[in-house]
């Protein structure tokens, strides 16, 4: 379990905190998502969690043990995939993974199999400098899995990937979660968060505005609607109606009674729509 209690952080010379008094808990084996636009404080929180930034104010605990009390073994238990790939560009993809595997104590994954799993098998002997942005992103993701981590920190893991490759990466993330890995995901991609996360936190200007499972957020902040398509005088027509509105409920009953309905779909607000509703700004 990861516990974050009243965490705040201010960069030197900054006019305001990058992270302001946030708290959350991540149970073992769950995927927790930080959803917010660039500059919201997502990466700052991740860097505090993995000890890349010094703890200024608040507490971070892993299974009840304070972050300051964790020794070097902590880094053998975590895997990190950064948004901006940091690689040894003169080394091949395979050489990169072999080098990093040598830094860990304990058993590591077969680097060749990892590269094949993320679609880089044929490029394993190519210098990382020759990789495209998406290939570099996949290599960094594979590197995060090398040491069979108990906790994965993923910062925009599908950024720059084509839809098919992004789906493959998402499936690997789900597999790791099912195997018991705890995953901390930072993203501005609401579809990714909705698909993967057990809970999400909306982060804006360093503060958590809402935190819950995606469905609860949609039920609480979204407007439930029904899209109905029906035939009228031989023409297909459609209406978007809101059951909470008395007039719309009557219209739904009228259409049902007509027997002309061809399709009817319930709709819910997306996480992005809810974020805009709460903040007045988008996720980009």
């Amino acid at each position: 379990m990861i516990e974050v209690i009243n965490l705040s952080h201010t960069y030197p010379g900054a006019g305001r905190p990058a992270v302001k008094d946030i708290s959350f808990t991540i149970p073992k084996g769950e995927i927790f998502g930080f959803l917010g636009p660039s500059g919201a404080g997502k990466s700052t929180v991740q860097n505090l969690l993995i000890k890349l930034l010094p703890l200024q104010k608040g507490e971070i605990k892993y299974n009840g043990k304070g972050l300051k009390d964790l020794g070097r073994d902590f880094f053998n238990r975590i895997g990190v995939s950064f948004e901006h790939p940091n690689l040894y560009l003169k080394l091949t993809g395979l050489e990169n993974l072999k080098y990093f595997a040598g830094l860990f104590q304990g058993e590591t994954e077969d680097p060749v199999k990892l590269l094949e799993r993320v679609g880089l098998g044929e490029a394993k002997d190519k210098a990382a400098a020759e990789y495209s942005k998406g290939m570099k992103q996949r290599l960094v993701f594979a590197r995060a899995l090398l040491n069979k981590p108990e906790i994965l920190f993923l910062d925009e893991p599908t950024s720059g990937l084509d839809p098919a490759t992004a789906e493959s990466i998402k499936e690997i993330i789900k597999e790791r979660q099912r195997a018991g890995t705890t995953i901390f995901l930072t993203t501005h991609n609401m579809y990714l968060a909705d698909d993967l996360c057990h809970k999400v936190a909306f982060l804006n200007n360093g503060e958590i505005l809402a935190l819950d499972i995606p469905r609860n957020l949609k039920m609480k902040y979204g407007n439930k609607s029904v899209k109905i398509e029906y035939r009228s005088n031989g023409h297909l027509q459609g209406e978007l109606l809101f059951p909470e509105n008395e007039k719309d409920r009557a219209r739904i009953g009228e259409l049902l009674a007509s027997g002309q309905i061809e399709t009817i779909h319930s709709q819910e607000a997306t996480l992005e729509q809810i974020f805009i509703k709460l903040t007045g700004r988008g996720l980009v």
Side-chain angles (χ1 to χ4, degrees):
M1 176 183 286
I2 303 173
E3 296 174 89
V4 174
I5 306 164
N6 303 124
L7 185 67
S8 294
H9 187 84
T10 303
Y11 290 103
R16 62 176 179 81
V19 176
K20 185 178 179 181
D21 196 30
I22 67 171
S23 300
F24 58 87
T25 300
I26 310 174
K28 176 178 170 54
E30 286 196 1
I31 302 177
F32 184 90
F34 254 27
L35 188 60
S38 298
K42 305 186 303 296
S43 296
T44 298
V45 174
Q46 175 174 293
N47 289 338
L48 287 165
L49 287 168
I50 62 177
K51 303 180 74 169
L52 276 186
L53 285 174
L55 193 61
Q56 293 178 345
K57 185 178 180 181
E59 294 182 81
I60 297 174
K61 296 181 179 180
Y62 288 88
N63 296 323
K65 192 172 184 179
L67 188 66
K68 294 179 180 179
D69 298 323
L70 297 176
R72 294 182 61 85
D73 181 62
F74 171 71
F75 298 102
N76 288 312
R77 296 165 44 212
I78 67 171
V80 184
S81 176
F82 297 95
E83 179 182 5
H84 303 292
N86 50 340
L87 301 162
Y88 289 104
L89 298 180
K90 292 184 179 181
L91 300 182
T92 67
L94 181 57
E95 288 170 341
N96 264 277
L97 292 195
K98 283 184 174 180
Y99 171 76
F100 283 102
L103 300 178
F104 295 107
Q105 297 175 348
E107 185 181 5
T108 56
E109 299 277 7
D110 183 332
V112 174
K113 290 182 178 179
L114 268 183
L115 289 170
E116 290 174 348
R117 186 68 203 280
V118 299
L120 294 175
E122 295 183 0
K124 69 180 187 298
D125 296 320
K126 182 185 292 187
E130 299 176 33
Y131 281 19
S132 66
K133 179 182 177 182
M135 293 170 72
K136 290 176 181 177
Q137 192 69 36
R138 282 180 277 163
L139 182 56
V140 169
F141 177 75
R143 188 183 67 195
L145 306 178
L146 263 176
N147 56 320
K148 301 181 179 181
E150 299 172 17
I151 306 170
L152 261 177
F153 295 91
L154 305 176
D155 194 349
E156 303 289 0
T158 60
S159 176
L161 303 184
D162 63 82
T165 304
E167 283 299 318
S168 177
I169 295 300
K170 286 197 292 184
E171 185 53 39
I172 295 173
I173 294 172
K174 291 177 182 178
E175 287 177 7
R176 294 289 168 150
Q177 181 273 321
R178 289 193 291 266
T181 304
T182 305
I183 300 171
F184 182 82
L185 172 70
T186 62
T187 185
H188 67 264
N189 185 329
M190 78 286 190
Y191 297 110
L192 180 68
D194 202 0
D195 187 29
L196 292 179
C197 297
H198 296 88
K199 284 187 178 180
V200 297
F202 286 154
L203 194 70
N204 188 48
N205 294 327
E207 298 182 74
I208 292 179
L209 303 181
L211 193 165
D212 210 330
I213 66 174
R215 184 180 186 277
N216 287 351
L217 290 170
K218 293 172 187 176
M219 296 297 290
K220 182 176 181 179
Y221 295 104
N223 293 320
K224 291 174 285 186
S225 61
V226 176
K227 184 177 182 181
I228 299 177
E229 292 183 328
Y230 60 93
R231 288 284 171 181
S232 177
N233 298 320
H235 299 288
L236 184 65
Q237 298 190 35
E239 293 185 33
L240 184 65
L241 301 166
F242 296 87
E244 295 178 357
N245 181 286
E246 184 177 349
K247 184 178 179 180
D248 282 6
R249 285 200 304 273
R251 178 59 176 158
I252 292 170
E254 180 182 319
L255 290 171
L256 288 170
S258 72
Q260 301 299 310
I261 291 178
E262 292 199 357
T263 65
I264 180 167
H265 299 283
S266 62
Q267 297 184 321
E268 60 185 12
T270 66
L271 292 179
E272 182 167 25
Q273 289 170 339
I274 295 168
F275 188 89
I276 292 172
K277 182 177 181 178
L278 292 174
T279 66
R281 61 184 295 196
L283 286 166
V284 179

